[in-house]
Amino acid sequence: MSWRSAIARVLDGRTLSRRVLDRELPGSIPAGQVGTVLDVGGASGIRYRRLVRCQRYWTVDVQPQNRPSVVGDAHRLPLADGSVDLVLCLQVLEHCRRPADVVREIHRVLAPGGRLVLSTVLVYELHGSPYDFYRFTEEALRDLAHDFAEVKVRTLGNRFVAAYDLTMARSLALNTLFGRVAYRIGTVPSASCPCGFILESVKS
């Protein structure tokens, strides 16, 4: 283990909601081999590539300094119709000016039977400003995904997770001290006050 890895394990800067997402996300990823994966807004793809067994893993990101496979805008994906088998769009949609256009583009580039796995926040502080535009409820996500044949929405987090992220998680020191304990005691999802969602959709 490198010294950087050792420090990262001790000084875990993930918010509680990110820990919950990291725990739940593998259950939304297809277990079998996938042909082509597109990670929308995924920078270089380091964070999620390990979760997917695939032949090709592409990333598209509007910022070239993030070293994506393709520099492009999620509102107008630079890919052919039906060219992708799985799209990941994780913690990105709230940063898009026209989220309906993004979901429509994802539907376009997916092959028939292709899957979308999308996550986004509901109760969370402003981040990535000035490019933080929206928060989504379950019904909003279902409405955005109305062109898909199958839609499932999974709830993430609760009041405690939201309150923790808005207070403790902003401090690396406090989060290092209390993050693991908070993760163990208070991450059961709440239907009445979730802090985010995972949307799973299948194109007909």
Side-chain angles (χ1 to χ4, degrees):
M1 181 187 299
S2 70
W3 65 269
R4 288 184 179 176
S5 299
I7 290 174
R9 296 190 107 185
V10 174
L11 300 177
D12 190 341
R14 290 179 299 166
T15 59
L16 190 52
S17 58
R18 174 65 74 172
R19 291 174 191 258
V20 172
L21 175 62
D22 288 348
R23 180 188 69 200
E24 298 298 324
L25 191 56
S28 297
I29 303 294
Q33 180 81 6
V34 179
T36 300
V37 176
L38 177 65
D39 187 342
V40 175
S44 65
I46 292 174
R47 184 185 288 272
Y48 302 114
R49 187 170 196 151
R50 61 183 174 77
L51 298 178
V52 190
R53 294 173 52 213
C54 61
Q55 295 173 359
R56 291 170 296 278
Y57 193 102
W58 297 338
T59 61
V60 60
D61 199 295
V62 73
Q63 301 183 47
Q65 64 268 29
N66 288 338
R67 296 180 288 111
S69 309
V70 179
V71 176
D73 190 335
H75 298 85
R76 194 169 183 177
L77 292 169
L79 284 89
D81 296 1
S83 58
V84 177
D85 300 300
L86 171 65
V87 171
L88 304 180
C89 183
L90 305 172
Q91 309 302 85
V92 171
L93 200 64
E94 65 267 25
H95 301 290
C96 299
R97 292 181 186 274
R98 301 184 306 281
D101 288 354
V102 172
V103 176
R104 195 175 299 116
E105 275 292 276
I106 289 171
H107 186 271
R108 178 185 67 79
V109 302
L110 277 170
R115 301 176 66 89
L116 163 64
V117 178
L118 179 151
S119 71
T120 190
V121 295
L122 175 60
V123 182
Y124 200 76
E125 70 177 6
L126 288 175
H127 60 293
S129 296
Y131 304 105
D132 188 359
F133 299 108
Y134 296 101
R135 297 292 181 268
F136 301 91
T137 63
E138 177 176 346
E139 292 310 314
L141 292 173
R142 289 185 179 277
D143 183 60
L144 287 170
H146 68 271
D147 286 335
F148 287 82
E150 299 176 31
V151 177
K152 176 183 177 183
V153 180
R154 297 173 57 196
T155 299
L156 301 174
N158 52 42
R159 290 174 176 83
F160 173 73
V161 173
Y164 180 93
D165 278 1
L166 293 172
T167 53
M168 298 284 201
R170 293 301 98 194
S171 165
L172 181 59
L174 289 175
N175 199 37
T176 298
L177 286 172
F178 300 114
R180 290 180 176 86
V181 174
Y183 175 75
R184 290 188 182 121
I185 66 174
T187 60
V188 176
S190 165
S192 62
C193 189
C195 58
F197 301 98
I198 296 175
L199 170 73
E200 304 171 19
S201 303
V202 179
K203 182 176 177 178
S204 60

